[in-house]
């Protein structure tokens, strides 16, 4: 699933990271009174070189085909959630990896759980404030990108992991670089300082003995310029979420060095369900139904890749041909879990703190308590 704070179009710049191209007229629009949720325009600045800057976070998303579970999932219902008939507003950024949300909406899985869900196109950092303020009831969120806002007091929590696997580092096909450890001192192109890919792969850099904020020359490029910068030799590698991480490889202009389904950090979820705190406190049954339905959407997507790609293309969530979307979705691993997210949060926070993104005084256990919403879900 994509985090809305770092999504970008692959060939057009100016769109959120993880999106191929956001439609001009998205399926659901922000209500007039919520105009502050509209996604901001991307800056036109082609490239910025910034060393020793590390802010923001995030990771973007993924899935594994779960074949054979679809029939069971579509008949399963959340205990105690029947008849809630609650209207909810969920934000999305228009990314390929937000497939679980699109599926749960269009396959009427939310309705099966008694929920009337409107999905609202938005993006940028304001989506976190909107969820925290209750303007949105929930949003798909990059695990790491929500840690700092929650640390600072935003009224939202993460309730379940949705998928992993859509973040990649790619290098030119003929590059001599064979491992992350060989990136020390090299210029790496990213969509934004502190975006999902930069944040996640900083963990891999730490494992290789590299200080991500001092030993790497992070260079910011618009999404549609990353591949050209790699081909020109302006950067030695691209760290990006899909589709920008995968498209250069599909086009034969790069080879994949690593992704977030490999290495010592592969157990960390990238995308999760971020839920408004007031909803969690006042109506936990509704929150439980929402998270369960969302997870069913994730498993359904993994078991039905062609149908999921068709949902994304036909409803103009992304502007690309279906074979391309299918190729991207097939690289993911859908394995939604509330219990697994809970088990990974504390260790993930402790390790992520070493990047310098979180407050140095942060207690991982205390922050984990603020981050995770225990809805009694055992899956």
């Amino acid at each position: 699933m994509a985090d809305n704070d770092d999504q970008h179009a692959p060939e057009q710049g100016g769109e959120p990271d993880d999106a191929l191209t956001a439609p001009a007229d998205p399926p659901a629009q922000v209500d007039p009174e919520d105009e502050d949720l509209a996604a901001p325009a991307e800056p036109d600045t082609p490239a910025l070189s910034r060393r020793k800057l590390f802010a923001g976070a995030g990771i973007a998303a993924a899935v594994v085909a779960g074949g054979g579970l679809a029939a069971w999932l579509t008949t399963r219902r959340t205990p105690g959630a029947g008849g809630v008939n609650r209207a909810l507003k969920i934000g999305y950024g228009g990314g390929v990896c937000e497939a679980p949300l699109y599926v749960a909406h269009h396959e009427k899985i939310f309705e099966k759980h008694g929920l009337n869900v409107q999905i609202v196109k938005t993006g940028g950092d304001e989506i976190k404030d909107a969820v925290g303020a209750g303007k949105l009831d929930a949003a798909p969120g990059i695990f790491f990108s929500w840690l700092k806002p929650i640390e600072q007091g935003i009224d939202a929590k993460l309730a379940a992991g949705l998928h992993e696997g859509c973040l990649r580092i790619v290098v030119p096909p003929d590059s001599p670089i064979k491992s992350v450890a060989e990136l020390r001192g090299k210029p790496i192109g990213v969509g934004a300082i502190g975006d999902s890919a930069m944040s996640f792969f900083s963990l891999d850099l730490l494992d290789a003995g590299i200080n991500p904020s001092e030993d790497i020359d992070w260079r910011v490029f618009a999404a549609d310029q990353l591949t050209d910068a790699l081909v020109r030799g302006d950067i030695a590698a691209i760290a990006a979420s899909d589709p920008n991480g995968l498209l250069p490889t599909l086009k034969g202009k790069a080879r994949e060095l690593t992704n977030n389904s490999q290495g010592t950090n592969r157990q960390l979820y990238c995308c999760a369900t971020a839920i408004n705190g007031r909803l969690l406190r006042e109506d936990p049954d509704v929150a439980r139904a929402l998270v369960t339905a969302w997870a069913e959407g994730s498993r359904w997507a993994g078991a039905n890749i062609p149908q999921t790609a068709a949902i994304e293309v036909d409803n103009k969530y992304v502007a690309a041909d279906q074979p391309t979307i299918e190729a991207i979705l097939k690289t993911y691993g859908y394995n939604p879990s509330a219990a697994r997210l809970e088990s990974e949060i504390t260790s993930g926070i402790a390790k992520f703190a070493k990047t310098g993104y979180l407050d140095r005084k942060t207690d991982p256990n205390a922050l984990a308590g603020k981050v995770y919403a225990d809805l009694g879900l055992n899956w």
Side-chain angles (χ1 to χ4, degrees):
M1 123 138 349
D3 184 58
N4 300 290
D5 63 346
D6 62 339
Q7 296 174 331
H8 297 282
E11 299 297 332
Q12 302 183 32
E15 294 297 338
D17 188 310
D18 288 334
L20 286 176
T21 302
D25 297 304
Q29 299 291 339
V30 177
D31 292 338
E33 64 269 24
D34 289 338
E35 290 180 353
D36 57 322
L37 298 184
E42 283 278 334
D44 293 328
T45 306
L48 300 173
S49 178
R50 303 174 69 181
R51 190 185 289 265
K52 299 183 180 180
L53 287 178
F54 204 86
I59 300 183
V63 240
V64 164
L69 291 176
W72 174 77
L73 290 167
T74 52
T75 59
R76 182 169 177 254
R77 205 175 168 76
T78 307
V84 290
N85 195 27
R86 170 71 183 271
L88 297 171
K89 187 181 291 186
I90 303 178
Y92 75 96
V96 176
C97 60
E98 291 171 299
L101 177 60
Y102 308 145
V103 164
H105 181 60
H106 287 277
E107 291 300 309
K108 302 187 183 303
I109 299 174
F110 286 132
E111 290 184 20
K112 186 192 77 173
H113 286 272
L115 303 172
N116 175 19
V117 168
Q118 177 190 12
I119 59 176
V120 180
K121 177 68 169 65
T122 184
D125 287 337
E126 73 272 15
I127 197 168
K128 298 176 180 64
D129 292 330
V131 173
K135 292 181 179 180
L136 294 173
D137 294 289
I142 299 303
F143 170 59
F144 293 114
S145 71
W146 286 79
L147 296 181
K148 188 66 174 182
I150 293 174
E151 178 190 51
Q152 294 179 325
I154 192 172
D155 191 15
K157 291 193 173 188
L158 306 181
L162 288 171
H163 55 70
E164 63 284 318
C166 71
L167 299 173
R168 308 173 198 276
I169 293 181
V170 300
V171 297
D174 58 352
S175 172
I177 297 173
K178 303 298 182 183
S179 70
V180 171
E182 296 173 50
L183 292 172
R184 182 188 298 273
K186 299 291 194 298
I188 300 178
V190 294
I193 293 297
D195 70 5
S196 62
M198 178 177 171
S199 299
F200 179 85
F201 290 116
S202 288
L203 302 180
D204 284 353
L205 292 169
L206 285 172
D207 287 344
I210 298 172
N211 185 321
S213 60
E214 295 183 0
D215 299 335
I216 297 294
D217 183 9
W218 301 103
R219 298 187 182 181
V220 178
F221 289 84
D224 61 336
Q225 297 177 11
L226 279 167
T227 300
D228 289 342
L230 186 72
V231 172
R232 289 194 307 267
D234 294 344
I235 51 179
I238 295 172
S241 52
D242 286 341
N244 301 314
L246 183 59
L247 285 178
T249 299
L250 293 179
K251 294 177 180 179
K253 296 182 178 181
R255 64 175 170 83
E256 190 167 296
L257 184 67
T258 189
N259 61 55
N260 70 314
S261 290
Q262 301 175 354
T264 59
N265 299 302
R266 63 173 299 177
Q267 75 277 11
L268 299 175
Y269 270 114
C270 50
C271 295
T273 58
I275 312 295
N276 169 256
R278 183 175 180 180
L279 175 61
L280 290 166
R281 292 187 298 272
E282 297 184 357
D283 215 336
D285 279 348
V286 169
R288 187 178 302 112
L290 173 62
V291 173
T292 301
W294 212 330
E296 290 186 19
S298 179
R299 294 189 184 97
W300 193 97
N304 299 276
I305 296 295
Q307 296 94 321
T308 299
I311 288 173
E312 296 199 353
V313 173
D314 294 347
N315 292 282
K316 299 182 180 179
Y317 292 114
V318 297
D321 60 87
Q322 185 162 332
T324 298
I325 299 300
E326 287 188 34
I328 293 174
L329 292 175
K330 285 178 181 178
T331 67
Y332 300 159
Y334 295 86
N335 184 29
S337 173
R340 182 177 158 208
L341 177 66
E342 181 182 21
S343 70
E344 294 177 356
I345 279 183
T346 301
S347 60
I349 291 173
K351 188 163 189 176
F352 191 62
K354 296 178 182 178
T355 65
Y357 171 62
L358 299 176
D359 191 303
R360 296 177 109 183
K361 298 179 181 179
T362 293
D363 179 342
N365 290 294
L367 182 55
K370 293 176 64 177
V371 168
Y372 181 70
D374 187 353
L375 291 171
L377 298 171
N378 296 320
W379 41 267

